[in-house]
Amino acid sequence: QVELSESGGGSVQSGGSLRLSCKTSYDAYRHYCMGWFREVPGWAPEGIAARETDGSTSFADSVKGRFTISQDPDANTLYLEMNSLKPEDTAMYYCAASSAGAFPGLEVSAYHYWGQGTQVTVSS
């Protein structure tokens, strides 16, 4: 089992930035690919970013060029840096871990462990 806990959400004006954190229960990055997802009530969750254990990353077109992924292995923490935020970025953001053998990318069904979520609200 992997325990994940997100933090860092909040309310910002359009064009602003936020840095989300995903704290894991142990050095999960040695064993699992990690991903970031977001969800709006009434809509299907959207995969926005993923990181493989070798450090390779992928991003959804909706956030490409604005969001980046980094990590602090010593703190067992994955970061999502969000820049140039838009009102349509408003959502509950989740981090997740996958035990799939191949790089799971942004496919929600490939992820097995999920955090509780952190709310991001962007006003216009």
Side-chain angles (χ1 to χ4, degrees), residues 48-63:
I48 58 171
R51 181 190 186 278
E52 199 170 0
T53 53
D54 66 356
S56 61
T57 58
S58 60
F59 297 89
D61 289 341
S62 58
V63 305

Side-chain angles (χ1 to χ4, degrees), residues 4-9 18-24 29 33-39 45-51 57-60 62-63 67-71 77-82 92-98 104-108 111 113-120:
L4 308 172
S5 180
E6 304 96 333
S7 62
L18 284 173
R19 188 191 196 192
L20 305 185
S21 299
C22 176
K23 176 74 173 180
T24 69
Y29 304 109
C33 298
M34 306 294 295
W36 284 96
F37 299 81
R38 63 188 183 186
E39 186 175 26
E46 176 190 16
I48 58 171
R51 181 190 186 278
T57 58
S58 60
F59 297 89
S62 58
V63 305
F67 292 10
T68 59
I69 288 178
S70 62
Q71 71 172 31
T77 301
L78 183 74
Y79 299 103
L80 180 69
E81 182 72 29
M82 308 187 297
M92 184 73 75
Y93 283 72
Y94 299 88
C95 66
S98 173
L106 306 178
E107 175 54 55
V108 64
Y111 290 81
Y113 308 103
W114 297 80
Q116 83 290 336
T118 185
Q119 178 68 39
V120 171

